[in-house]
């Protein structure tokens, strides 16, 4: 019973390409998050959203944008991918104020 | 700002050994504390949580006690198994409003040998 689905597990893109990472949750959660995971750095928050069409910058938003047109879907966009964006990207969702997050399996992006 | 510090790994143990992974935090107010686990090739899963001082979270033989006086939330298990090999993340949640964001430690990789 998968609850947070990230559409792509592995992607390989070239420098300068536009990249879309899609995340869908089926738990009717208000909050959705995009984290980046790198060895030795743990998880760092890129963007989050607490409502449809609402977004807030996290700790490392530079080079990224997001879209949330429907409650269940939260997209991460790399307008012009760079090699330093090679990473594992984790989507999560949660109920407002509950602090408990459910994570997707992750999308491993390689930018050449 | 709020932060979480956990012991660096990797940690390598033999099966049935005792496990402790240290976690300390800095936060204003009264945060909730969490341990998440990431098995190879998977996303993070909630392992256990504690929402107030002196609470003990437990799951799958793992335990952690919320110690406000030492600002700690150390993870323990009395007898580890090979299947416990994973990366463990300590996390803090300190936003009681709508946002529900978590701040994570850097993770501790545990390898358990047969």
């Amino acid at each position: 019973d998968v609850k947070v689905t990230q559409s792509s597990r592995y992607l390989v893109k070239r420098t300068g390409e536009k990249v879309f990472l899609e995340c869908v949750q089926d738990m009717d959660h208000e909050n959705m998050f995009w984290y980046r995971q790198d060895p030795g750095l743990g998880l760092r928050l890129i963007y989050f959203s607490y409502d449809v069409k609402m977004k807030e910058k996290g700790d490392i938003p530079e080079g990224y944008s997001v879209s949330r047109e429907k409650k269940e879907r939260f997209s991460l966009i790399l307008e012009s991918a760079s090699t330093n964006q090679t990473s594992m990207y984790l989507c999560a969702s949660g109920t407002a104020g509950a602090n408990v997050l459910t994570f997707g399996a992750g999308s491993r992006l390689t930018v050449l | 700002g709020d932060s979480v510090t956990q012991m660096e790994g990797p940690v390598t143990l033999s099966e049935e050994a005792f496990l402790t992974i240290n976690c300390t935090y800095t936060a204003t107010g009264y945060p909730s504390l969490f341990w998440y686990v990431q098995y190879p090739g998977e996303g993070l899963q909630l392992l256990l949580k504690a929402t107030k001082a002196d609470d003990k979270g437990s799951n799958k033989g793992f335990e952690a006690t919320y110690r406000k006086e030492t600002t700690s939330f150390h993870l323990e298990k009395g007898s580890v198994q090979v299947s416990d090999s994973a990366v463990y993340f300590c996390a803090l949640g300190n936003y009681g409003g709508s946002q529900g964001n978590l701040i994570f430690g850097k993770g501790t990789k545990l390898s358990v040998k047969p």
Side-chain angles (χ1 to χ4, degrees):
Chain A
D1 58 338
V2 177
K3 299 185 183 304
V4 178
T5 302
Q6 295 184 229
S7 55
S8 302
R9 290 297 305 271
Y10 301 94
L11 303 93
V12 179
K13 298 292 182 181
R14 296 205 174 274
T15 301
E17 281 192 82
K18 191 170 186 176
V19 181
F20 293 88
L21 300 179
E22 304 284 342
C23 175
V24 177
Q25 51 97 0
D26 63 0
M27 295 167 287
D28 201 35
H29 284 163
E30 294 82 8
N31 299 337
M32 296 189 74
F33 306 83
W34 276 104
Y35 287 89
R36 170 175 172 163
Q37 182 181 10
D38 298 289
L41 297 177
L43 275 71
R44 294 179 291 168
L45 182 65
I46 305 172
Y47 268 97
F48 65 96
S49 168
Y50 54 87
D51 201 354
V52 175
K53 297 192 185 294
M54 305 301 290
K55 60 184 179 182
E56 293 285 342
K57 293 181 179 180
D59 299 318
I60 53 163
E62 297 79 17
Y64 304 94
S65 62
V66 291
S67 172
R68 192 166 181 202
E69 297 296 319
K70 294 184 178 181
K71 188 176 185 180
E72 67 271 18
R73 186 180 297 269
F74 192 36
S75 302
L76 180 69
I77 303 156
L78 288 66
E79 293 288 343
S80 178
S82 63
T83 55
N84 62 12
Q85 293 178 308
T86 292
S87 186
M88 170 70 86
Y89 291 89
L90 295 171
C91 175
S93 70
T95 302
N99 285 149
V100 176
L101 301 186
T102 301
F103 281 82
S107 297
R108 183 167 293 282
L109 171 67
T110 300
V111 183
L112 302 176
Chain B
D2 296 350
S3 65
V4 173
T5 302
Q6 61 182 101
M7 63 185 287
E8 295 190 19
V11 174
T12 302
L13 296 174
S14 298
E15 208 165 21
E16 301 184 2
F18 184 86
L19 168 71
T20 299
I21 300 178
N22 290 336
C23 172
T24 57
Y25 68 91
T26 301
T28 57
Y30 303 96
S32 296
L33 299 173
F34 306 84
W35 277 100
Y36 279 79
V37 59
Q38 185 179 34
Y39 297 104
E42 299 183 12
L44 276 69
Q45 303 173 23
L46 178 65
L47 181 59
L48 54 84
K49 66 175 182 176
T51 58
K52 61 183 188 296
D54 300 325
D55 267 3
K56 177 184 283 188
S58 61
N59 186 26
K60 300 181 180 181
F62 291 89
E63 294 182 340
T65 301
Y66 188 161
R67 302 284 188 201
K68 196 171 188 332
E69 63 277 12
T70 55
T71 61
S72 65
F73 192 55
H74 304 322
L75 182 68
E76 295 182 337
K77 187 175 185 183
S79 176
V80 295
Q81 304 302 311
V82 172
S83 57
D84 294 326
S85 297
V87 181
Y88 293 82
F89 291 91
C90 185
L92 174 159
N94 200 16
Y95 300 94
S98 63
Q99 296 171 5
N101 182 32
L102 294 180
I103 296 170
F104 288 87
K106 294 183 178 180
T108 302
K109 184 175 182 180
L110 170 66
S111 296
V112 181
K113 306 298 184 185

mmCIF file of all heavy atoms in Angstrom, chain A residues 1-7 22-27 29 31-34 72 74 90-94 101-106:
data_model
loop_
_atom_site.group_PDB
_atom_site.id
_atom_site.type_symbol
_atom_site.label_atom_id
_atom_site.label_comp_id
_atom_site.label_asym_id
_atom_site.label_seq_id
_atom_site.Cartn_x
_atom_site.Cartn_y
_atom_site.Cartn_z
ATOM 1 N N ASP A 1 0.835 -1.185 0.000
ATOM 2 C CA ASP A 1 0.000 0.000 0.000
ATOM 3 C C ASP A 1 0.886 1.257 0.000
ATOM 4 O O ASP A 1 1.189 1.826 1.023
ATOM 5 C CB ASP A 1 -0.951 -0.001 1.186
ATOM 6 C CG ASP A 1 -0.224 -0.067 2.507
ATOM 7 O OD1 ASP A 1 0.918 -0.516 2.512
ATOM 8 O OD2 ASP A 1 -0.800 0.347 3.516
ATOM 9 N N VAL A 2 1.313 1.619 -1.177
ATOM 10 C CA VAL A 2 2.191 2.775 -1.328
ATOM 11 C C VAL A 2 1.414 4.046 -1.072
ATOM 12 O O VAL A 2 0.301 4.216 -1.591
ATOM 13 C CB VAL A 2 2.803 2.798 -2.745
ATOM 14 C CG1 VAL A 2 3.649 4.031 -2.925
ATOM 15 C CG2 VAL A 2 3.610 1.548 -2.983
ATOM 16 N N LYS A 3 1.933 4.960 -0.252
ATOM 17 C CA LYS A 3 1.196 6.158 0.117
ATOM 18 C C LYS A 3 1.793 7.433 -0.447
ATOM 19 O O LYS A 3 1.091 8.399 -0.695
ATOM 20 C CB LYS A 3 1.125 6.250 1.635
ATOM 21 C CG LYS A 3 0.410 5.060 2.263
ATOM 22 C CD LYS A 3 0.255 5.249 3.739
ATOM 23 C CE LYS A 3 -0.401 4.048 4.419
ATOM 24 N NZ LYS A 3 -1.701 3.718 3.851
ATOM 25 N N VAL A 4 3.127 7.477 -0.604
ATOM 26 C CA VAL A 4 3.790 8.598 -1.253
ATOM 27 C C VAL A 4 4.576 8.028 -2.422
ATOM 28 O O VAL A 4 5.478 7.223 -2.203
ATOM 29 C CB VAL A 4 4.723 9.360 -0.296
ATOM 30 C CG1 VAL A 4 5.425 10.490 -1.048
ATOM 31 C CG2 VAL A 4 3.946 9.904 0.893
ATOM 32 N N THR A 5 4.225 8.449 -3.607
ATOM 33 C CA THR A 5 4.820 7.888 -4.813
ATOM 34 C C THR A 5 5.637 8.941 -5.538
ATOM 35 O O THR A 5 5.129 10.016 -5.858
ATOM 36 C CB THR A 5 3.727 7.366 -5.761
ATOM 37 O OG1 THR A 5 2.934 6.381 -5.083
ATOM 38 C CG2 THR A 5 4.360 6.721 -6.988
ATOM 39 N N GLN A 6 6.900 8.615 -5.774
ATOM 40 C CA GLN A 6 7.736 9.474 -6.591
ATOM 41 C C GLN A 6 7.877 8.798 -7.958
ATOM 42 O O GLN A 6 8.241 7.626 -8.031
ATOM 43 C CB GLN A 6 9.099 9.668 -5.921
ATOM 44 C CG GLN A 6 8.975 10.425 -4.606
ATOM 45 C CD GLN A 6 10.299 10.734 -3.953
ATOM 46 O OE1 GLN A 6 10.484 10.491 -2.779
ATOM 47 N NE2 GLN A 6 11.237 11.301 -4.702
ATOM 48 N N SER A 7 7.570 9.535 -8.993
ATOM 49 C CA SER A 7 7.365 8.914 -10.295
ATOM 50 C C SER A 7 8.629 8.302 -10.872
ATOM 51 O O SER A 7 8.563 7.308 -11.590
ATOM 52 C CB SER A 7 6.801 9.941 -11.272
ATOM 53 O OG SER A 7 7.641 11.068 -11.324
ATOM 54 N N GLU A 22 8.206 14.411 -9.816
ATOM 55 C CA GLU A 22 6.803 14.390 -9.414
ATOM 56 C C GLU A 22 6.604 13.562 -8.150
ATOM 57 O O GLU A 22 7.224 12.515 -7.971
ATOM 58 C CB GLU A 22 5.945 13.802 -10.526
ATOM 59 C CG GLU A 22 6.070 14.504 -11.862
ATOM 60 C CD GLU A 22 5.334 15.821 -11.884
ATOM 61 O OE1 GLU A 22 4.458 16.047 -11.024
ATOM 62 O OE2 GLU A 22 5.647 16.647 -12.757
ATOM 63 N N CYS A 23 5.699 14.038 -7.319
ATOM 64 C CA CYS A 23 5.377 13.328 -6.082
ATOM 65 C C CYS A 23 3.877 13.379 -5.868
ATOM 66 O O CYS A 23 3.269 14.447 -5.961
ATOM 67 C CB CYS A 23 6.094 13.988 -4.902
ATOM 68 S SG CYS A 23 5.682 13.289 -3.285
ATOM 69 N N VAL A 24 3.302 12.222 -5.567
ATOM 70 C CA VAL A 24 1.855 12.127 -5.319
ATOM 71 C C VAL A 24 1.617 11.376 -4.021
ATOM 72 O O VAL A 24 2.237 10.332 -3.780
ATOM 73 C CB VAL A 24 1.149 11.386 -6.476
ATOM 74 C CG1 VAL A 24 -0.341 11.226 -6.175
ATOM 75 C CG2 VAL A 24 1.353 12.118 -7.787
ATOM 76 N N GLN A 25 0.706 11.911 -3.201
ATOM 77 C CA GLN A 25 0.340 11.219 -1.964
ATOM 78 C C GLN A 25 -1.164 10.973 -1.938
ATOM 79 O O GLN A 25 -1.937 11.781 -2.441
ATOM 80 C CB GLN A 25 0.789 12.035 -0.729
ATOM 81 C CG GLN A 25 0.361 13.487 -0.714
ATOM 82 C CD GLN A 25 -0.893 13.783 0.080
ATOM 83 O OE1 GLN A 25 -1.509 12.896 0.671
ATOM 84 N NE2 GLN A 25 -1.285 15.057 0.106
ATOM 85 N N ASP A 26 -1.550 9.855 -1.330
ATOM 86 C CA ASP A 26 -2.965 9.475 -1.332
ATOM 87 C C ASP A 26 -3.556 9.501 0.070
ATOM 88 O O ASP A 26 -4.544 8.800 0.346
ATOM 89 C CB ASP A 26 -3.138 8.099 -1.977
ATOM 90 C CG ASP A 26 -2.450 6.985 -1.220
ATOM 91 O OD1 ASP A 26 -1.831 7.269 -0.169
ATOM 92 O OD2 ASP A 26 -2.515 5.833 -1.668
ATOM 93 N N MET A 27 -2.965 10.293 0.970
ATOM 94 C CA MET A 27 -3.414 10.312 2.356
ATOM 95 C C MET A 27 -4.142 11.606 2.711
ATOM 96 O O MET A 27 -4.417 11.861 3.884
ATOM 97 C CB MET A 27 -2.210 10.118 3.276
ATOM 98 C CG MET A 27 -1.575 8.749 3.108
ATOM 99 S SD MET A 27 0.039 8.641 3.884
ATOM 100 C CE MET A 27 1.011 9.623 2.749
ATOM 101 N N HIS A 29 -3.018 14.562 2.864
ATOM 102 C CA HIS A 29 -2.201 15.401 3.738
ATOM 103 C C HIS A 29 -2.155 16.830 3.235
ATOM 104 O O HIS A 29 -2.075 17.084 2.030
ATOM 105 C CB HIS A 29 -0.780 14.849 3.818
ATOM 106 C CG HIS A 29 -0.671 13.642 4.677
ATOM 107 N ND1 HIS A 29 0.426 12.787 4.609
ATOM 108 C CD2 HIS A 29 -1.488 13.138 5.636
ATOM 109 C CE1 HIS A 29 0.260 11.825 5.484
ATOM 110 N NE2 HIS A 29 -0.892 11.997 6.111
ATOM 111 N N ASN A 31 0.330 19.010 4.165
ATOM 112 C CA ASN A 31 1.714 19.435 3.983
ATOM 113 C C ASN A 31 2.482 18.489 3.081
ATOM 114 O O ASN A 31 2.355 17.269 3.188
ATOM 115 C CB ASN A 31 2.428 19.473 5.346
ATOM 116 C CG ASN A 31 1.791 20.451 6.310
ATOM 117 O OD1 ASN A 31 1.115 21.388 5.915
ATOM 118 N ND2 ASN A 31 2.018 20.225 7.590
ATOM 119 N N MET A 32 3.305 19.077 2.228
ATOM 120 C CA MET A 32 4.206 18.268 1.409
ATOM 121 C C MET A 32 5.570 18.935 1.359
ATOM 122 O O MET A 32 5.676 20.168 1.451
ATOM 123 C CB MET A 32 3.647 18.070 -0.008
ATOM 124 C CG MET A 32 2.337 17.261 -0.008
ATOM 125 S SD MET A 32 1.772 16.778 -1.647
ATOM 126 C CE MET A 32 2.932 15.449 -2.045
ATOM 127 N N PHE A 33 6.607 18.113 1.209
ATOM 128 C CA PHE A 33 7.986 18.583 1.364
ATOM 129 C C PHE A 33 8.885 17.950 0.299
ATOM 130 O O PHE A 33 8.675 16.811 -0.105
ATOM 131 C CB PHE A 33 8.540 18.153 2.740
ATOM 132 C CG PHE A 33 7.700 18.572 3.911
ATOM 133 C CD1 PHE A 33 6.608 17.822 4.300
ATOM 134 C CD2 PHE A 33 8.011 19.715 4.620
ATOM 135 C CE1 PHE A 33 5.831 18.205 5.387
ATOM 136 C CE2 PHE A 33 7.235 20.101 5.704
ATOM 137 C CZ PHE A 33 6.148 19.350 6.083
ATOM 138 N N TRP A 34 9.884 18.706 -0.093
ATOM 139 C CA TRP A 34 10.978 18.147 -0.877
ATOM 140 C C TRP A 34 12.281 18.341 -0.098
ATOM 141 O O TRP A 34 12.627 19.455 0.295
ATOM 142 C CB TRP A 34 11.109 18.822 -2.237
ATOM 143 C CG TRP A 34 10.201 18.256 -3.270
ATOM 144 C CD1 TRP A 34 9.053 18.803 -3.758
ATOM 145 C CD2 TRP A 34 10.358 17.010 -3.964
ATOM 146 N NE1 TRP A 34 8.488 17.985 -4.699
ATOM 147 C CE2 TRP A 34 9.277 16.878 -4.847
ATOM 148 C CE3 TRP A 34 11.319 15.998 -3.920
ATOM 149 C CZ2 TRP A 34 9.115 15.774 -5.693
ATOM 150 C CZ3 TRP A 34 11.167 14.902 -4.743
ATOM 151 C CH2 TRP A 34 10.081 14.788 -5.626
ATOM 152 N N GLU A 72 -2.854 16.605 -3.775
ATOM 153 C CA GLU A 72 -2.127 15.356 -3.701
ATOM 154 C C GLU A 72 -0.788 15.363 -4.438
ATOM 155 O O GLU A 72 -0.035 14.423 -4.329
ATOM 156 C CB GLU A 72 -2.991 14.204 -4.251
ATOM 157 C CG GLU A 72 -3.285 14.282 -5.745
ATOM 158 C CD GLU A 72 -4.542 15.073 -6.052
ATOM 159 O OE1 GLU A 72 -5.015 15.839 -5.185
ATOM 160 O OE2 GLU A 72 -5.065 14.905 -7.182
ATOM 161 N N PHE A 74 2.867 17.297 -5.644
ATOM 162 C CA PHE A 74 3.856 18.347 -5.363
ATOM 163 C C PHE A 74 5.064 18.080 -6.255
ATOM 164 O O PHE A 74 5.707 17.039 -6.134
ATOM 165 C CB PHE A 74 4.241 18.293 -3.883
ATOM 166 C CG PHE A 74 5.029 19.473 -3.383
ATOM 167 C CD1 PHE A 74 4.784 20.760 -3.840
ATOM 168 C CD2 PHE A 74 5.994 19.312 -2.403
ATOM 169 C CE1 PHE A 74 5.479 21.857 -3.344
ATOM 170 C CE2 PHE A 74 6.708 20.392 -1.907
ATOM 171 C CZ PHE A 74 6.451 21.663 -2.379
ATOM 172 N N LEU A 90 14.050 13.400 -1.918
ATOM 173 C CA LEU A 90 13.015 12.712 -1.157
ATOM 174 C C LEU A 90 11.806 13.613 -0.994
ATOM 175 O O LEU A 90 11.926 14.759 -0.557
ATOM 176 C CB LEU A 90 13.531 12.309 0.220
ATOM 177 C CG LEU A 90 14.647 11.273 0.249
ATOM 178 C CD1 LEU A 90 15.201 11.132 1.644
ATOM 179 C CD2 LEU A 90 14.151 9.937 -0.253
ATOM 180 N N CYS A 91 10.661 13.086 -1.330
ATOM 181 C CA CYS A 91 9.392 13.775 -1.111
ATOM 182 C C CYS A 91 8.747 13.213 0.145
ATOM 183 O O CYS A 91 8.869 12.017 0.437
ATOM 184 C CB CYS A 91 8.477 13.560 -2.313
ATOM 185 S SG CYS A 91 6.825 14.244 -2.135
ATOM 186 N N ALA A 92 8.062 14.069 0.890
ATOM 187 C CA ALA A 92 7.361 13.621 2.088
ATOM 188 C C ALA A 92 6.058 14.380 2.220
ATOM 189 O O ALA A 92 5.900 15.475 1.674
ATOM 190 C CB ALA A 92 8.218 13.826 3.332
ATOM 191 N N SER A 93 5.127 13.795 2.947
ATOM 192 C CA SER A 93 3.876 14.494 3.230
ATOM 193 C C SER A 93 3.502 14.275 4.687
ATOM 194 O O SER A 93 3.965 13.322 5.333
ATOM 195 C CB SER A 93 2.755 14.014 2.311
ATOM 196 O OG SER A 93 2.364 12.677 2.635
ATOM 197 N N GLY A 94 2.637 15.168 5.199
ATOM 198 C CA GLY A 94 2.229 15.064 6.593
ATOM 199 C C GLY A 94 0.972 15.871 6.868
ATOM 200 O O GLY A 94 0.647 16.798 6.130
ATOM 201 N N LEU A 101 6.040 12.628 9.297
ATOM 202 C CA LEU A 101 6.116 12.642 7.841
ATOM 203 C C LEU A 101 6.157 11.230 7.282
ATOM 204 O O LEU A 101 6.766 10.332 7.870
ATOM 205 C CB LEU A 101 7.363 13.401 7.385
ATOM 206 C CG LEU A 101 7.478 14.854 7.822
ATOM 207 C CD1 LEU A 101 8.689 15.501 7.170
ATOM 208 C CD2 LEU A 101 6.205 15.628 7.504
ATOM 209 N N THR A 102 5.520 11.072 6.112
ATOM 210 C CA THR A 102 5.604 9.841 5.340
ATOM 211 C C THR A 102 6.409 10.144 4.097
ATOM 212 O O THR A 102 6.101 11.098 3.380
ATOM 213 C CB THR A 102 4.204 9.332 4.963
ATOM 214 O OG1 THR A 102 3.453 9.101 6.155
ATOM 215 C CG2 THR A 102 4.310 8.036 4.180
ATOM 216 N N PHE A 103 7.430 9.327 3.852
ATOM 217 C CA PHE A 103 8.352 9.590 2.764
ATOM 218 C C PHE A 103 8.087 8.667 1.574
ATOM 219 O O PHE A 103 7.657 7.520 1.734
ATOM 220 C CB PHE A 103 9.793 9.360 3.223
ATOM 221 C CG PHE A 103 10.355 10.496 4.018
ATOM 222 C CD1 PHE A 103 10.084 10.616 5.371
ATOM 223 C CD2 PHE A 103 11.145 11.453 3.424
ATOM 224 C CE1 PHE A 103 10.589 11.666 6.110
ATOM 225 C CE2 PHE A 103 11.661 12.519 4.151
ATOM 226 C CZ PHE A 103 11.381 12.621 5.496
ATOM 227 N N GLY A 104 8.411 9.181 0.395
ATOM 228 C CA GLY A 104 8.487 8.356 -0.788
ATOM 229 C C GLY A 104 9.822 7.623 -0.830
ATOM 230 O O GLY A 104 10.687 7.821 0.027
ATOM 231 N N ALA A 105 9.988 6.787 -1.850
ATOM 232 C CA ALA A 105 11.181 5.956 -1.954
ATOM 233 C C ALA A 105 12.397 6.723 -2.446
ATOM 234 O O ALA A 105 13.518 6.219 -2.354
ATOM 235 C CB ALA A 105 10.902 4.776 -2.868
ATOM 236 N N GLY A 106 12.192 7.914 -2.960
ATOM 237 C CA GLY A 106 13.316 8.729 -3.405
ATOM 238 C C GLY A 106 13.514 8.689 -4.912
ATOM 239 O O GLY A 106 13.137 7.722 -5.587
#
